[in-house]
Amino acid sequence: MTVLISVWGAAPGVGKSTLCGGLARRLADAGLRVDHFREEEVLTRPQFAAVAEAFRTTGAVGPETLIAATGEFVASVLASGGDVVIADALVPFVPTLLAMGHDEATIDAFLTDLTEVLAPVSPVMVFLDGNAGAALSRAAGREGAEWLDQYVGKLARYGVSPPVTDVASAVRYLARERAVTLAAVARHGWHLVVIERADELSPDEVLRAVERGLRPWPADRGPAARKE
C-alpha cells in the first residue's frame, strides 16, 4: 500500500521542509521506496503542468484543475510502485484556495472530491503547529529581511481575508489559514498528526514526535488526530 504524507505548518519557518527531508531519509534508510515531493516541484512535475500553466497565464488556479492534476499524480504514484510520498506543502491545497478567494463552503466541497481522489494513497497530514510570528521571524533570519517583505507583499496582492498589510496582519491571516486547513482535513477523516509548539523544538525533536505520531498508522486507518 502506498502512503502519501503531506506536511504543512502554521507558518513559513516552522520547519516543514527540514522535517520532510529528515523523514524522507529516515524512511529510505528503513528500506522503503520514498518519493520526496519538494514544495517548489509543484511547478515542474509533469502531472501539475496544467496548474503551472494556469498560474503563469492568469495568476490563479481553479479547484477543478487541482483535482485533475492530483488525479494524474496519484495514478503516477501507483504506477511507480513506491511505498511513501513525502509531500512538502502539496495537498490539501487549502491555502491556495483561500488565496484564490474561495469560501469555506467551496473548500469543503473541494475536500470531498479531493479525499476521494486521494483514497488510493491513504493520505496523512502532518501539521507543525506553533507561533506564526516566531516562525516568520525565523524564516526571515534564514532568508534575509527582504524575504519577509516579499511574503507580506504576496499575501497582500492575493487579497486574502482578513487582509494583509504588514507582519501582524499576516499572522492574523495565517491563523485563519491554519483553522480552515485543520478543520477541513478533520471533517473529511484524514489521518492527522499535529505537532504542537513545533517552533520551540529542534529538528530532531520534531522528527521523533512525528515518528511517534505516525507509528500506529496505517494499521489504524480510521479518522484520527494525535497531538504530540
Side-chain angles (χ1 to χ4, degrees), residues 25-79:
R25 288 189 295 273
R26 186 68 61 89
L27 294 176
D29 288 346
L32 298 177
R33 294 163 295 178
V34 179
D35 177 6
H36 181 183
F37 193 135
R38 293 168 175 81
E39 184 173 5
E40 64 273 13
E41 291 178 16
V42 73
L43 297 180
T44 57
R45 292 247 180 166
Q47 299 82 17
F48 287 88
V51 173
E53 178 64 13
F55 273 122
R56 187 185 68 81
T57 57
T58 69
V61 59
E64 66 286 348
T65 302
L66 292 171
I67 290 290
T70 304
E72 291 183 28
F73 177 66
V74 168
S76 72
V77 167
L78 296 176

Side-chain angles (χ1 to χ4, degrees), residues 1 18 21 28 51 54 61 71 76 78 157 169 174:
M1 179 177 60
T18 300
V51 173
V61 59
S76 72
L78 296 176
R157 288 192 300 275
S169 55
L174 287 168

